[in-house]
Amino acid sequence: MTIDTEAPARTTSSPAVHDVDLDVDVPADLAERRRRAVAEAVAHAEPAATGNRRAAVGIRRYGPGCVALALRGRFDRTGRERLRALAAELERQAGTELVIDLSGLDGCDAGLARVLGRLRIRCLAREARVELHDPPEALAAELGHRP
């Protein structure tokens, strides 16, 4: 799923979290499913990597309660609001584990740090494992993330 922050506003509450499109022989190994889900989420958010670098979000579910989230581009106010609108669905779906790939962000402001921080705290409070991949240095410091 890609969310283009310059698209017209939608009237639906939030897009659904999709299952990973894996081969018929889904690996039993959770680490491999996680790796593939992150790659799929990144691929679906990849349009932001070209051109004007608008914010894009890719989401894939890779098992019961396990969700991969990829953020790409620059998140302005509109992008942050759309991510905030997705947060409730992400929290509900990621009851066991949430992996967030931030390697494609074009920087991070305080507003995006707050949205991600709230999402992370809410998942941790529900005892879900939260894993951050390649956060920008300022965001890692803000969230207390240590590689």
Side-chain angles (χ1 to χ4, degrees):
M1 153 193 331
T2 300
I3 297 177
D4 181 348
T5 61
E6 292 186 11
R10 297 180 184 177
T11 56
T12 58
S13 59
S14 67
V17 178
H18 297 284
D19 289 328
V20 171
D21 299 323
L22 296 177
D23 298 330
V24 175
D25 57 334
V26 176
D29 179 47
L30 178 62
E32 179 60 18
R33 286 197 319 265
R34 181 186 307 119
R35 187 193 65 72
R36 287 189 188 186
V38 169
E40 284 283 322
V42 166
H44 283 83
E46 202 55 40
T50 60
N52 61 12
R53 300 292 292 171
R54 289 182 298 205
V57 177
I59 303 171
R60 288 292 179 263
R61 193 175 63 193
Y62 55 96
C66 300
V67 177
L69 169 67
L71 304 182
R72 295 283 178 267
R74 180 168 302 283
F75 279 75
D76 60 8
R77 193 179 111 210
T78 304
R80 288 189 307 269
E81 290 303 317
R82 292 209 176 152
L83 182 58
R84 187 175 288 121
L86 284 171
E89 177 70 11
L90 287 168
E91 291 169 34
R92 190 177 67 73
Q93 291 286 329
T96 304
E97 183 171 282
L98 176 64
V99 177
I100 306 172
D101 182 280
L102 302 166
S103 62
L105 280 183
D106 273 353
C108 179
D109 64 8
L112 181 59
R114 282 190 298 273
V115 171
L116 290 173
R118 276 187 226 123
L119 175 61
R120 183 173 176 240
I121 289 168
R122 288 180 179 150
C123 287
L124 289 170
R126 295 178 67 198
E127 299 184 7
R129 178 174 174 252
V130 179
E131 196 175 290
L132 299 177
H133 289 229
D134 301 318
E137 195 172 306
L139 178 60
E142 182 76 24
L143 297 176
H145 173 71
R146 291 175 185 84

